[in-house]
Amino acid sequence: MSIQVDNIHTISLHVANKPGVLLRITLMFARRGYNIESLVVSSALDGKFSRMTITAQGAPETLDQIIRQANKLIDVVHASEHNDEEAIAKEMVLIKVKLSKTNKNEILQVIDHFKAQSVDLTQKSAIIQAVGDSDRIDALIDMLKDYGIIETVRSGKLVMARGDQST
Amino acid sequence: MTKKQTNGAEALIQGLEKHGVEYIFGYPGGAAIPIFDAIYDSSIKLILTRHEQGAIHMADGYARATGKTGVVLVTSGPGATNTVTGILTAQMDSIPLVILTGQTITSALGKDAFQEADVFGGTAPFVKHSYLVKEPNDIPRIVKESFYLAATGRPGTVLIDLPKDITSAPCEATHEEAEMDLPGYSFPDKGKAVDIKAAADILNNAKRPLLLVGHGTLISKANKEVLQLAELLQTPVTTTLMGKGAFPENHELSVGMLGMHGTAYANRCVSNCDVIFSIGSRWDDRITPAKIEKFCPTAKKLHLDIDKAEINKVVMPDVSILGDAKTCLKELLPLIKSSEATKPWLKQVNQWKKKYPLNYKVHGGLKAQQVLDELYQITKGEAIITTDVGQHQMWAAQFCKTHNPDQWISSGGAGTMGFGFPSALGAQLGKPEETVVAVVGDGGFQMTLFELSTAAINKLPVKILIIDNKFLGMVRQWQELFYDDRLSGVDMVGNPDFVKLGESYGVKGFRIKRPADIKRTLEKALAYDGPCIIHAEVIKEDNVFPMIPAGATTDDMIIEPPKKKLAKPKGST
């Protein structure tokens, strides 16, 4: 298992869609000193199961244990870590940015450059939607900071294993 | 006449009957009344305790003595929270328990209703699995799953939280048709052949092997296979506190318990072995140093466990076998060659046994060690011994050698004071023909002594041996050795007269005041047909040796009382 140097780990879990499963998983991360950075939970193709993608920060030597302990939970079907080489990782962001007559065009250019979309436009603000790698989203937010960001909401990372591998 | 509609509580109790439950240990309350009502017509015997903690430790002792799953029934709120210590105790020691908790009605959940507690959430860290039942027709499936989960793989605790409206509502689902739905649950059985072969190669080439036998061996009932392996390899065998009984401690290859208060010769074996093979032990911090790289640094380490999360958790083994101990050892045994190569090693081990025997001075007052040693001699190692936690527990572990499985019952992982006495009652119910002795301290006994009623009412002939030194002895020992003898919070001044206390419950009492009393009194008490207290007033300030300070290595073992001041240990406790 490869370990990322920045100690941010992306773990995907395939779990039975039953009450309490999220509670048990988050308790385990907390107990082992892992801080959850993002967490995405949604129903899997079959409604009996759910998919979770968790990015968490913590000591790499503990990660193997956390994954084993996650797999040990009764309702967890499968848990594994993924890195960028073997999996696709994307996230989505909504950014509400201040608009004025003078900067409107500039902002639209930035949106265009990042292949983002404006999904809500008023005289005073726009909501920009972007999907992509996390660092690209970081860059977009950075660019827009100069114009005045009102708020952002990020989905957290979604991960899927490449090719024949299952997530 | 039409058949009466079954309700959720009745379906629950019918499910327990189908799973062969003989006893429910419990304490009622409002939210659990429908379940107690269902017990009224059932074949299951209810053991009414005096506190929910007593109930769960009794169920735990019953499970440990019989290997069956123990069942606890309590009400919501405080009834449920009073079981939490017992849930932790059982879960830490991999004991199969099903805990049924009453709960307020579903429409009131989360509204701070009377006697409402979030038991599902609150106990999540201490259970193998748990349920909050929201639909009465789920009950047959949940009961089936719970008993399966509690007893299989690495056993543990399963809690079912049962709202009162659910247990009162009609249940149409049947146990016959109930299907388990556990897509995420599996456990290994057979180990990988390649791992077993690799382990065999290392064992066959070992000059100084050591078998480290833990509780997993007992759970898997692999004690015969361990014995065969030890005799084939001609290797010393050490057991953990929880593994006592997995290998006969009166066998010549036994070196007894290892670790913090283990025998000096077992710990010398750990320091000097060239291969250590853990069978169902988890390299717990009572037997391994804080700096794990210092743990038998030159030995190859083999680890057999059913729980994948135990592999690489503490020790990084050279070879690990994931599977059931009995199944894997059966595969391993044909690959083992009997060897003469360990002869010099066994000679060395026997020299250590002679040089560092477990002993105590027979003069200078009544010694706990002598009381326990004589208890062992009189019972010939055939009694079930339960213990509380502290000095008496360690002395009992040292001097009451365990010959057979399921005869040593002690709270190992959690170290729960108050466990010894109620667990003995559960063990006695499960094994009515056997002699059960609860070895307790004056501190721990007072945490659950109210179960004297339960002992008397049910005529459970448990012998309660109170090792009374009027101190919380283990903490006092630490304060003496590591904290300049600044005794803080350890004086048990105000102890009752335990014999009179017992009498007030209808429990007979015996007193041991002098060494000369021990044999005669123990024989009388053991022959007495009923529950009794044996009050042994031992010297106040005695210490347990050998001792490895917390976190230190086997090389740092203190065998004799130290002459100079010791540094504070770096390990946890």
Side-chain angles (χ1 to χ4, degrees):
Chain A
M1 178 177 301
S2 69
I3 283 165
Q4 295 172 19
V5 280
D6 57 2
N7 292 354
I8 298 249
H9 307 283
T10 306
I11 297 140
S12 73
L13 300 108
H14 187 209
V15 304
N17 184 10
K18 293 194 178 176
V21 60
L22 180 60
L23 168 76
R24 292 181 217 274
I25 289 166
T26 50
L27 274 173
M28 190 197 55
F29 273 87
R31 190 170 170 213
R32 297 308 298 250
Y34 263 56
N35 190 24
I36 293 178
E37 305 264 318
S38 80
L39 168 67
V40 187
V41 187
S42 60
S43 188
L45 203 54
D46 177 343
K48 286 180 71 184
F49 297 94
S50 297
R51 288 282 185 187
M52 291 188 191
T53 310
I54 296 175
T55 55
Q57 191 166 16
E61 58 272 18
T62 323
L63 182 70
D64 187 36
Q65 259 304 306
I66 288 193
I67 289 172
R68 281 166 194 253
Q69 288 182 348
N71 273 308
K72 189 171 155 179
L73 293 172
I74 307 299
D75 287 334
V76 173
V77 180
H78 183 67
S80 57
E81 195 206 4
H82 293 285
N83 60 28
D84 291 349
E85 289 92 65
E86 57 188 26
I88 296 287
K90 298 287 173 197
E91 71 175 307
M92 179 184 158
V93 66
L94 295 173
I95 308 162
K96 191 183 286 177
V97 66
K98 281 184 196 159
L99 278 191
S100 68
K101 278 182 183 143
T102 51
N103 68 15
K104 197 171 171 181
N105 281 339
E106 257 181 81
I107 289 175
L108 288 174
Q109 273 175 16
V110 172
I111 293 172
D112 192 44
H113 175 81
F114 279 89
K115 297 197 168 57
Q117 286 172 282
S118 83
V119 289
D120 180 60
L121 202 59
T122 66
Q123 291 296 333
K124 287 180 178 171
S125 72
I127 296 177
I128 298 160
Q129 168 195 310
V131 177
D133 297 346
S134 297
D135 44 10
R136 188 133 176 101
I137 287 174
D138 291 342
L140 171 62
I141 291 171
D142 228 33
M143 285 292 285
L144 291 172
K145 266 184 190 159
D146 291 346
Y147 305 104
I149 293 176
I150 300 163
E151 57 186 4
T152 65
V153 177
R154 291 173 79 146
S155 67
K157 234 188 231 183
L158 289 172
V159 162
M160 185 174 274
R162 292 175 192 267
D164 293 341
Q165 297 289 316
S166 59
T167 309
Chain B
M1 201 175 104
T2 50
K3 194 173 166 286
K4 181 177 160 275
Q5 174 75 55
T6 303
N7 69 20
E10 289 157 349
L12 172 74
I13 296 300
Q14 287 163 12
L16 303 186
E17 286 173 336
K18 283 207 187 317
H19 283 88
V21 173
E22 298 172 278
Y23 295 106
I24 292 175
F25 300 89
Y27 203 101
I33 292 177
I35 310 172
F36 279 82
D37 185 62
I39 293 175
Y40 194 86
D41 292 324
S42 93
S43 63
I44 301 172
K45 185 150 194 307
L46 172 70
I47 303 295
L48 173 65
T49 63
R50 289 298 175 268
H51 190 286
E52 291 86 352
Q53 188 185 353
I56 191 163
H57 290 330
M58 270 180 231
D60 186 324
Y62 171 85
R64 291 183 202 229
T66 61
K68 296 178 197 165
T69 298
V71 179
V72 184
L73 169 61
V74 296
T75 193
S76 62
T81 56
N82 276 344
T83 66
V84 170
T85 303
I87 296 174
L88 175 76
T89 307
Q91 179 66 12
M92 287 283 266
D93 288 346
S94 311
I95 306 303
L97 288 189
V98 170
I99 302 107
L100 310 168
T101 53
Q103 180 57 277
T104 188
I105 53 174
T106 45
S107 60
L109 283 173
K111 295 179 183 170
D112 294 333
F114 177 63
Q115 291 193 331
E116 188 203 352
D118 177 7
V119 173
F120 180 85
T123 58
F126 310 124
V127 294
K128 181 169 174 182
H129 199 56
S130 50
Y131 298 89
L132 170 54
V133 187
K134 294 275 188 72
E135 160 58 50
N137 287 314
D138 286 344
I139 289 175
R141 172 181 58 82
I142 287 173
V143 170
K144 196 170 185 179
E145 289 178 3
S146 296
F147 277 85
Y148 179 66
L149 290 170
T152 56
R154 180 175 180 173
T157 54
V158 180
L159 181 139
I160 312 176
D161 203 18
L162 294 144
K164 192 176 185 180
D165 54 326
I166 301 295
T167 50
S168 307
C171 172
E172 280 156 13
T174 64
H175 293 281
E176 289 71 21
E177 285 163 9
E179 276 182 44
M180 292 198 286
D181 177 29
L182 299 168
Y185 182 64
S186 64
F187 50 89
D189 181 32
K190 284 178 84 165
K192 281 189 189 154
V194 55
D195 295 335
I196 292 173
K197 174 77 171 58
D201 287 345
I202 290 174
L203 289 167
N204 283 331
N205 289 310
K207 299 269 189 302
R208 301 186 308 281
L210 177 65
L211 299 188
L212 164 55
V213 179
H215 189 213
T217 307
L218 289 166
I219 296 169
S220 156
K221 302 191 191 307
N223 48 303
K224 286 208 178 75
E225 287 71 18
V226 168
L227 183 66
Q228 282 175 34
L229 180 65
E231 288 180 345
L232 261 178
L233 281 171
Q234 284 297 301
T235 168
V237 181
T238 184
T239 54
T240 62
L241 179 76
M242 291 301 298
K244 266 173 75 76
F247 188 80
E249 285 185 287
N250 55 339
H251 192 287
E252 59 177 0
L253 290 171
S254 171
V255 290
M257 183 175 80
L258 79 163
M260 186 176 268
H261 294 294
T263 66
Y265 35 95
N267 288 329
R268 284 280 184 269
C269 287
V270 171
S271 298
N272 291 280
C273 64
D274 67 351
V275 173
I276 184 165
F277 181 17
S278 162
I279 305 168
S281 122
R282 57 186 174 89
W283 316 99
D284 171 76
D285 64 16
R286 306 292 86 179
I287 63 168
T288 52
K291 286 196 173 134
I292 200 66
E293 60 278 12
K294 290 189 172 172
F295 179 70
C296 16
T298 57
K300 286 215 160 74
K301 296 166 192 81
L302 315 180
H303 189 183
L304 165 53
D305 209 297
I306 200 163
D307 181 357
K308 197 177 179 186
E310 290 301 341
I311 310 279
N312 295 352
K313 187 180 88 175
V314 178
V315 157
M316 293 296 202
D318 296 87
V319 174
S320 59
I321 306 170
L322 189 62
D324 171 66
K326 190 181 183 84
T327 313
C328 294
L329 289 178
K330 275 189 169 164
E331 302 273 323
L332 175 73
L333 279 165
L335 308 179
I336 298 295
K337 298 186 193 104
S338 83
S339 147
E340 302 274 290
T342 63
K343 270 199 170 161
W345 169 236
L346 286 179
K347 200 176 156 198
Q348 169 72 79
V349 173
N350 284 324
Q351 281 169 0
W352 286 326
K353 280 189 181 181
K354 285 202 185 83
K355 191 173 174 192
Y356 309 112
L358 283 170
N359 61 7
Y360 51 88
K361 294 193 174 78
V362 286
H363 52 80
L366 184 66
K367 294 278 177 68
Q369 297 95 313
Q370 191 178 355
V371 176
L372 294 164
D373 192 11
E374 295 203 21
L375 173 69
Y376 168 68
Q377 305 297 341
I378 294 167
T379 56
K380 301 183 178 69
E382 298 294 329
I384 295 176
I385 306 279
T386 75
T387 79
D388 233 82
V389 171
Q391 285 186 318
H392 72 276
Q393 177 192 32
M394 292 297 109
W395 282 320
Q398 291 175 343
F399 290 95
C400 296
K401 294 194 176 92
T402 313
H403 298 185
N404 303 304
D406 306 331
Q407 295 201 326
W408 172 259
I409 294 175
S410 192
S411 167
T416 302
M417 285 175 70
F419 173 79
F421 171 46
S423 65
L425 299 179
Q428 185 76 78
L429 272 168
K431 293 279 180 76
E433 303 302 321
E434 300 208 26
T435 301
V436 180
V437 183
V439 179
V440 297
D442 50 316
F445 180 59
Q446 290 185 77
M447 288 192 176
T448 47
L449 63 79
F450 38 75
E451 299 303 346
L452 283 167
S453 293
T454 315
I457 291 162
N458 294 284
K459 299 188 174 59
L460 296 170
V462 165
K463 316 301 168 204
I464 308 151
L465 174 56
I466 305 173
I467 302 294
D468 180 7
N469 58 4
K470 296 169 181 58
F471 271 125
L472 298 176
M474 190 57 94
V475 177
R476 191 208 52 76
Q477 171 168 347
W478 275 57
Q479 290 176 345
E480 180 195 322
L481 295 177
F482 307 118
Y483 290 82
D484 296 325
D485 206 18
R486 287 152 55 91
L487 302 189
S488 178
V490 292
D491 194 343
M492 286 283 100
V493 64
N495 272 351
D497 179 327
F498 288 106
V499 168
K500 280 189 186 160
L501 176 81
E503 278 166 4
S504 72
Y505 283 94
V507 169
K508 194 169 171 59
F510 298 88
R511 295 184 200 271
I512 302 177
K513 285 185 178 291
R514 288 167 294 276
D517 299 343
I518 301 174
K519 188 159 184 284
R520 191 167 36 91
T521 310
L522 283 178
E523 279 172 349
K524 255 202 284 184
L526 287 164
Y528 177 72
D529 183 26
C532 64
I533 283 174
I534 310 155
H535 181 222
E537 268 187 276
V538 299
I539 58 168
K540 287 184 75 177
E541 299 181 347
D542 200 357
N543 294 330
V544 186
F545 293 107
M547 178 181 194
I548 300 172
T553 71
T554 45
D555 291 331
D556 303 317
M557 176 172 51
I558 307 160
I559 297 174
E560 303 258 301
K563 306 257 183 323
K564 58 180 179 15
K565 200 188 144 196
L566 301 168
K568 277 184 192 159
K570 293 190 175 63
S572 62
T573 46

